[in-house]
Amino acid sequence: NLQQFAVFGEGTWRFADQWAATVGARYYQYDEDRVLTFAGVFSAALGNLAGVTNNPGSVESDGFSPRAILSYDVNDDVKINAQVARGFRLGGINDPLNEPLCGANDLALFGSIFSPTWEDEKAWNYELGAKTELAGGRVQFNSSVFYSDIENLQANVDSGNCSSRIVVNVPKAHTLGVEAELFAKPCDRWDFGIGPTWVEAEIDSDVTGIATTPLAGMREGNRMPTSPELQGTASIGYQMRVFNTLEGFGVFSVQYVGSSFTQLA
């Protein structure tokens, strides 16, 4: 049984010819109740070798996510934006550990960090960006610098021989990055584009089990999974009239994505 409720509002006030302020907020409320049914061998994890075991779980959360944007039009061709916003990712319910498969060591280790639920992940994001047009609009350059302060990062953990994947909250993490894009159309037929991105995405706290050794790669300074440090795109486009009523075009593009880890471990 899943219930979600949200309300969102936003307004913009242009308080001078070149200045504008936008303020918005979202309120959310989330409730989930479920029964996870186990049968057969794995139901022994819940003390029932012969029949069916129903494992109940519940999670609920609510909160506000505000956003504020301040924009300044330097002139008709240059616009600067500064933004502060809070984002969230809803929590959830963990499956129980498959205790018959765990073994004593894994049961002690992963049982020490196991929680029936995981909490909402929340982040404050700070961004400064600029949009620029040059040469009568034939050249566009956009750029931004951003920083995110993340609380209760949701990390997937393979729990050893328990054959379970559980979600653990890492108390602190951050991302810091720079991205830019340059698009140029020097003539009616040709256009060129390039867009690099650099991101530092790291966790800022250790998560330990029964000892002091960080568990499953959840160590301060480790890179977050699926977060390459470098990415980039480049493209060349050409268009021409084929017939009086038909336009033809071609685009050649290259994309680079740097290496990343699939999991923290």
Side-chain angles (χ1 to χ4, degrees), residues 21-83:
T22 299
V23 177
R26 176 186 296 273
Y27 172 77
Y28 67 93
Q29 189 177 52
Y30 172 77
D31 294 278
E32 180 182 356
D33 298 291
R34 78 173 191 188
V35 175
L36 185 64
T37 301
F38 280 85
V41 175
F42 294 119
S43 64
L46 302 173
N48 187 347
L49 280 168
V52 175
T53 301
N54 294 320
N55 189 49
S58 297
V59 66
E60 62 181 26
S61 62
D62 59 75
F64 281 95
S65 284
R67 178 169 76 162
I69 304 172
L70 183 65
S71 63
Y72 175 64
D73 297 337
V74 180
N75 51 46
D76 292 340
D77 298 323
V78 180
K79 183 175 184 177
I80 298 174
N81 295 283
Q83 178 176 209

Side-chain angles (χ1 to χ4, degrees), residues 226-245:
T226 67
S227 298
E229 290 182 327
L230 291 175
Q231 298 185 69
T233 59
S235 66
I236 299 174
Y238 181 79
Q239 63 182 29
M240 63 177 294
R241 184 173 295 278
V242 181
F243 300 108
N244 289 336
T245 59

Side-chain angles (χ1 to χ4, degrees), residues 74-154:
V74 180
N75 51 46
D76 292 340
D77 298 323
V78 180
K79 183 175 184 177
I80 298 174
N81 295 283
Q83 178 176 209
V84 179
R86 191 182 197 192
F88 67 94
R89 182 161 58 169
L90 290 171
I93 305 170
N94 270 316
D95 293 346
L97 295 174
N98 293 323
E99 294 184 12
L101 299 177
C102 279
N105 291 335
D106 281 342
L107 183 59
L109 176 60
F110 295 102
S112 66
I113 65 164
F114 178 82
S115 174
T117 61
W118 67 85
E119 298 182 28
D120 291 0
E121 177 182 319
K122 298 180 180 179
W124 280 104
N125 185 69
Y126 308 90
E127 183 176 344
L128 180 64
K131 296 179 180 293
T132 305
E133 288 189 352
L134 304 169
R138 288 190 176 273
V139 178
Q140 299 175 5
F141 178 70
N142 303 320
S143 61
S144 67
V145 180
F146 59 88
Y147 176 80
S148 294
D149 186 20
I150 303 169
E151 178 184 353
N152 287 326
L153 174 75
Q154 296 171 3

Side-chain angles (χ1 to χ4, degrees), residues 150-171:
I150 303 169
E151 178 184 353
N152 287 326
L153 174 75
Q154 296 171 3
N156 290 317
V157 176
D158 286 329
S159 51
N161 290 330
C162 298
S163 188
S164 302
R165 174 169 289 186
I166 60 176
V167 178
V168 175
N169 289 112
V170 180

Side-chain angles (χ1 to χ4, degrees), residues 161-207:
N161 290 330
C162 298
S163 188
S164 302
R165 174 169 289 186
I166 60 176
V167 178
V168 175
N169 289 112
V170 180
K172 293 290 184 182
H174 78 273
T175 62
L176 171 66
V178 180
E179 59 183 1
E181 59 180 7
L182 176 65
F183 181 81
K185 191 176 179 66
C187 61
D188 292 338
R189 291 190 175 184
W190 289 96
D191 60 74
F192 305 88
I194 186 170
T197 301
W198 173 82
V199 176
E200 175 190 88
E202 296 181 351
I203 62 174
D204 298 327
S205 34
D206 296 348
V207 176

